[in-house]
Amino acid sequence: MIHDMIAIIDEYWLLLLIGQYPNGPLGGLANTLILSALSIVIAFPFAILLAFARLSSYRALRWPVTVLVYVTRGVPLLMLVLWSYFLVPLLTGADVPSFLTMLATLVVYQGAFLSEIIRAGIVALGQGQMDAARALGHSWFGAMRYVILPQALYNMIPSMLSTFVATIKDTTLGYVINVPDLTFAASQVNNQLLTQPFQVFLILALTYYVICWSLTALTNVVERRITRRRAGLGPRRRGEIALPLTPKVTEQL
Amino acid sequence: MKGFDLAAILGNAEYMAMLAHGIQITFVIAICSWLLAMSLALVLLAIRFSPGRIGNSAVAAYVSYHRNVPTLVQLMLWYFGIYTLLPSGIADWLSAHSAEMVFAIIGLGLCQAAYFSEDLRSGLRSISPGQMEAARALGHGYISAMRYVLIPQGVRNALPALVNHSVSLFKNSSLAIVIGAPELSHAVKEIENLSFRTFEIYLIGTVLYLVFSLIIMAAGAWLTWRADPLNGASR
């Protein structure tokens, strides 16, 4: 069993890592990571705007975003993937690669989730920060830019990291529309071998496990640091006992 | 491109039967895997709270695996991998009894059990140790203190997370399309292939999922409200 798995990795590691890259589109693990990183980077500013809209006092801004958030929370990602697969080529009028379709889906989906995280971060800071900043002469945007967001976003770093982990896991759904990611590469390997599906999919599962586990571990470290800094303590000295922590936020929904 | 016409789907008896069947399968998968997940979560929780290093780290490894591997990959490992390793007698019996549904239920149930057990654990851990000590001081035994003092509060604390994860379990049942279970999104795809009315049938599928999720969320919110002693919970 282990020998089979080592033999598979030995033969197909390049395909699993970068897909058919020089001779075809980039794929494999590299594509999975690029897709998730890009979607978080694009979703982030979008999510801040959505959070502002949800906190706004104008109904015309608040309601559509609330609907969007509830739709993304209530509809399976698979359904959204199918929607973009159908709508993105229709709207752009071009033959869009499945990578971009998946990217668009993830931006909307994770944007909605991130906006909830950011909104919670802003609300958790309390109204006093905004009032004080306004009293000091900041405009609403100035207060947001210089007072609220720097604090809220800093406190939200752990939740954002766990959103990134969730995004990596969500990219697997690209399989349904043939995005050439890690899952796709593994099923290609499986189609070539045909005889060892368990070994191939176990390698796939373990690869995801290693990546997501290390990112989750990083999240926990960062979270502990931030909790300490918020409590007004410096970096932990050697031999000092760790602070008891509040319940972790290592995953979304 | 044909004009928008919902009646072309809603008025067609064949399509409606397919949709109804899809909804039925989705609920069978969701409810069975919820029951599997919840019972397994209680077992995991019992192991976690009992002394013994080996059991504890085994549960921790179980939870870590199921939270860090994408659910879709877990389903694929079950259906494409573990299925082929089973002895031929069991495999034959399964393939005669819709194996894709069995594996969807097992895969989703085992995965969600990890989330449920963590929810319950953090719910119980958020109660201060003083509660147990006070209950023991009042003459409760360990079991009775758990039953009457700790578990009611712990479950109440865990309720919002449990509801959220129940909604994701319901949504994740759509992943079973990948292993060919004939659930709702599968029915949606099939009707799309037959009718070519992509927009209409996707809209119907989306609304159905949304309505069911919102019902689960509302039921959960009501339960959470009821469980609060201020709102007249029984205990």
Side-chain angles (χ1 to χ4, degrees), chain B residues 6-199:
Chain B
L6 269 183
I9 307 266
L10 294 176
N12 186 314
E14 189 197 350
Y15 296 158
M16 289 314 278
M18 287 165 80
L19 263 184
H21 184 246
I23 294 173
Q24 187 196 338
I25 299 288
T26 286
F27 272 95
V28 169
I29 292 178
I31 291 172
C32 290
S33 48
W34 193 91
L35 291 173
L36 174 65
M38 197 41 99
S39 23
L40 192 57
L42 293 176
V43 175
L44 293 176
L45 195 67
I47 300 175
R48 261 267 157 117
F49 274 97
S50 53
R53 272 236 169 122
I54 304 169
N56 248 310
S57 22
V59 173
Y62 177 92
V63 169
S64 175
Y65 170 80
H66 286 92
R67 294 216 311 196
N68 284 312
V69 174
T71 314
L72 184 76
V73 174
Q74 292 176 33
L75 284 183
M76 289 167 102
L77 183 62
W78 276 104
Y79 188 72
F80 300 126
I82 295 173
Y83 190 11
T84 59
L85 295 184
L86 294 175
S88 59
I90 301 175
D92 290 344
W93 185 86
L94 277 175
S95 64
H97 293 82
S98 51
E100 61 285 343
M101 274 183 64
V102 175
F103 282 108
I105 290 169
I106 293 177
L108 290 172
L110 292 193
C111 172
Q112 215 63 32
Y115 288 94
F116 282 165
S117 82
E118 283 300 279
D119 294 344
L120 289 169
R121 191 170 79 107
S122 52
L124 274 174
R125 274 182 14 151
S126 62
I127 303 166
S128 86
Q131 293 283 328
M132 178 53 116
E133 286 159 14
R136 297 300 293 271
L138 287 172
H140 280 288
Y142 177 80
I143 304 261
S144 137
M146 272 288 184
R147 159 78 183 77
Y148 292 104
V149 180
L150 275 97
I151 289 180
Q153 298 183 65
V155 169
R156 192 188 304 150
N157 291 345
L159 257 181
L162 286 177
V163 172
N164 272 340
H165 282 135
S166 303
V167 175
S168 17
L169 174 61
F170 171 72
K171 285 161 58 181
N172 281 346
S173 69
S174 65
L175 297 180
I177 193 176
V178 173
I179 58 174
E183 40 72 65
L184 180 52
S185 51
H186 191 273
V188 165
K189 280 296 280 180
E190 284 218 318
I191 297 172
E192 185 213 345
N193 286 338
L194 291 174
S195 68
F196 297 108
R197 292 195 172 274
T198 313
F199 193 86

Side-chain angles (χ1 to χ4, degrees), chain A residues 56-246:
Chain A
S56 154
S57 47
Y58 300 110
R59 266 192 205 165
L61 282 175
R62 209 166 58 222
W63 284 33
V65 180
T66 311
V67 170
L68 175 76
V69 168
Y70 270 91
V71 168
T72 40
R73 276 180 61 181
V75 175
L77 179 57
L78 183 98
M79 213 57 227
L80 297 181
V81 172
L82 293 181
W83 267 116
S84 349
Y85 192 57
F86 164 62
L87 278 183
V88 171
L90 203 68
L91 294 177
T92 56
D95 191 13
V96 181
S98 56
F99 179 86
L100 288 180
T101 310
M102 195 62 201
L103 184 63
T105 321
L106 286 174
V107 165
V108 173
Y109 190 70
Q110 300 299 355
F113 274 110
L114 268 179
S115 83
E116 282 295 88
I117 293 173
I118 294 171
R119 184 181 73 112
I122 293 175
V123 170
L125 272 185
Q127 184 63 31
Q129 294 283 331
M130 180 53 110
D131 291 344
R134 295 300 295 272
L136 287 172
H138 277 293
S139 65
W140 187 86
F141 272 105
M144 269 293 170
R145 162 79 184 75
Y146 295 105
V147 180
I148 307 283
L149 277 184
Q151 300 183 69
L153 295 183
Y154 178 74
N155 295 339
M156 290 292 109
I157 290 173
S159 316
M160 285 179 213
L161 274 173
S162 52
T163 309
F164 182 58
V165 176
T167 314
I168 293 179
K169 294 196 280 174
D170 286 341
T171 52
T172 50
L173 271 139
Y175 177 77
V176 181
I177 56 170
N178 291 330
V179 177
D181 69 342
L182 181 58
T183 312
F184 184 80
S187 62
Q188 272 183 320
V189 171
N190 183 40
N191 290 343
Q192 284 178 29
L193 286 170
L194 283 176
T195 49
Q196 298 162 322
F198 178 73
Q199 286 86 332
V200 172
F201 286 106
L202 190 60
I203 292 173
L204 178 67
L206 291 178
T207 315
Y208 276 113
Y209 179 78
V210 169
I211 296 165
C212 295
W213 181 86
S214 11
L215 280 169
T216 309
L218 175 71
T219 311
N220 291 341
V221 171
V222 172
E223 185 169 25
R224 220 163 290 148
R225 282 222 174 153
I226 289 178
T227 312
R228 273 188 74 85
R229 278 196 60 172
R230 289 194 65 192
L233 304 163
R236 184 142 64 99
R237 281 181 293 279
R238 189 170 306 189
E240 193 184 323
I241 298 162
L243 265 188
L245 281 177
T246 43

